[in-house]
Amino acid sequence: MARAWYAYLSGNPLLISSYTLISYTPTCLNGCNICAIFALNGGASPSVLSTRLRAYIADAIVTQVAQPPMHTIYVRVKPGC
């Protein structure tokens, strides 16, 4: 299944309802707030947040660095603490 970028809206970053489909790759990279995730395309919201993607989200919140570092990025974060 193809992946797509989803912008984080608000709420719990581990729920698919907290994201909405976007048609571009976000430019945000590092910071303390979730910006966007690269997830399995489920239409308006991601189809699922895998265990690995959830771990990347948690790591991004803690480290304030896009995840995983030095690989294909699946979670981008932005400044604004």
Side-chain angles (χ1 to χ4, degrees):
M1 183 176 250
R3 293 184 180 272
W5 281 104
Y6 290 89
Y8 173 67
L9 300 171
S10 65
N12 184 338
L14 299 178
L15 297 177
I16 61 172
S17 60
S18 298
Y19 298 91
T20 191
L21 181 65
I22 55 177
S23 60
Y24 58 91
T25 300
T27 58
C28 50
L29 193 58
N30 296 321
C32 57
N33 293 308
I34 298 295
C35 174
I37 60 171
F38 195 50
L40 293 176
N41 191 336
S45 295
S47 62
V48 66
L49 297 182
S50 68
T51 301
R52 182 172 293 181
L53 183 55
R54 289 172 184 262
Y56 289 156
I57 292 168
D59 289 347
I61 292 168
V62 171
T63 64
Q64 300 183 10
V65 175
Q67 295 295 317
M70 301 172 23
H71 295 284
T72 299
I73 294 174
Y74 291 95
V75 179
R76 291 178 176 259
V77 285
K78 62 184 177 183
C81 303

